[in-house]
Amino acid sequence: MCRGSACWCVIVALNMPELAQIGPLPKQDPGALNPPRHRAVVRVAHWINMLAFLALVISGGAILLAHPRFYWGETGAFGTPALIELPLPLNLDQSGWGRSLHFLAAWICVLNGSVYVVSGLISGHFRINFLPDRAEIAVNAILHRLSDSLRWRKLSEEESMTYNVLQRLTYVSVVFALFPLMIVTGLAMSPAVSAVVPAVPRIFGGHQSSRTVHFFVTNLLIVFLIVHVAMVGLAGFWSRMRPMITGRPVRRKQGI
């Protein structure tokens, strides 16, 4: 019999072929149990866009108070029939700073959105996170998710780790339809843009039609923002906010 260190040397020598085949053990990745949820460009673009959109809503409200009426066609003014007349107090004193802030926030939104879209297309962010599977597009699956949302059913931990079909379809519509439409209709109202590219306001039927479409699209985005914040609170405010701030989800408690 072997004793002490000599015995251990014999055992190790006999098992060297097997140990060589096994190879070194993988190193423990500290991020494996806490994988990133959002890339840095997504997080930065999200918060910049939130601030820019709030500035657009506030400044747009100031502009709206200067003329709370909407028309259809090329022209429209006080004294002419209006398509919609909002019961808002007339205030001409706020449109100056409102237009300046609106112009600044609009171009920040355009530049920030362009970086986000280009980055998302290159990295596959939209394909992976936004495009629903074919099975999810089924009518029954969509109605089931819609029923859960209308009843404000709290999501399970597994469900909260990914986007469901309603979220995917909504985000695709917001990013690739509503925001671009808001930007294009805003450009269509600009005399400088219409002078260079007169076809832009003609697409919507004229300057005043562009303003009317711009108003309704903006309201749809405001509704989306309200529902989005409400759903974040329903799913767990901190569990949703932390990934969008730090890029990592809330660490799960590990059992012993």
Side-chain angles (χ1 to χ4, degrees), residues 102-234:
H102 208 72
F103 181 83
L104 175 62
W107 282 112
I108 292 176
C109 188
V110 169
L111 295 176
N112 179 70
S114 300
V115 172
Y116 170 70
V117 170
V118 171
S119 173
L121 292 174
I122 294 176
S123 65
H125 169 66
F126 301 125
R127 176 179 53 82
I128 297 172
N129 296 316
F130 283 6
L131 292 182
D133 298 331
R134 291 184 178 180
E136 292 181 319
I137 307 179
V139 176
N140 290 336
I142 295 177
L143 291 178
H144 176 70
R145 290 296 183 183
L146 182 59
S147 175
D148 290 341
S149 300
L150 292 176
R151 289 186 288 108
W152 295 96
R153 184 181 68 84
K154 188 175 179 60
L155 300 177
S156 65
E157 185 176 6
E158 182 179 356
E159 290 175 326
S160 66
M161 297 298 292
T162 184
Y163 297 134
N164 60 49
V165 60
L166 287 181
Q167 290 173 313
R168 292 173 187 266
L169 293 176
T170 301
Y171 291 149
V172 167
S173 301
V174 168
V175 174
F176 294 103
L178 293 182
F179 260 107
L181 188 57
M182 182 185 71
I183 293 169
V184 174
T185 52
L187 292 174
M189 291 185 287
S190 171
V193 173
S194 60
V196 178
V197 189
V200 175
R202 291 175 188 169
I203 297 175
F204 304 100
H207 286 83
Q208 294 299 330
S209 301
S210 302
R211 182 171 178 263
T212 301
V213 175
H214 187 79
F215 172 75
F216 281 108
V217 172
T218 302
N219 277 275
L220 288 176
L221 288 172
I222 293 174
V223 171
F224 162 76
L225 177 62
I226 294 173
V227 175
H228 177 65
V229 173
M231 295 303 293
V232 168
L234 180 65

Side-chain angles (χ1 to χ4, degrees), residues 59-133:
S59 58
I63 297 172
L64 182 61
L65 290 177
H67 198 104
R69 307 175 88 227
F70 294 92
Y71 313 88
W72 195 262
E74 182 63 29
T75 61
F78 287 114
T80 62
L83 180 66
I84 301 173
E85 184 168 359
L86 301 178
L88 297 175
L90 185 64
N91 190 332
L92 301 176
D93 298 330
Q94 307 299 324
S95 62
W97 68 265
R99 292 181 183 276
S100 299
L101 179 59
H102 208 72
F103 181 83
L104 175 62
W107 282 112
I108 292 176
C109 188
V110 169
L111 295 176
N112 179 70
S114 300
V115 172
Y116 170 70
V117 170
V118 171
S119 173
L121 292 174
I122 294 176
S123 65
H125 169 66
F126 301 125
R127 176 179 53 82
I128 297 172
N129 296 316
F130 283 6
L131 292 182
D133 298 331

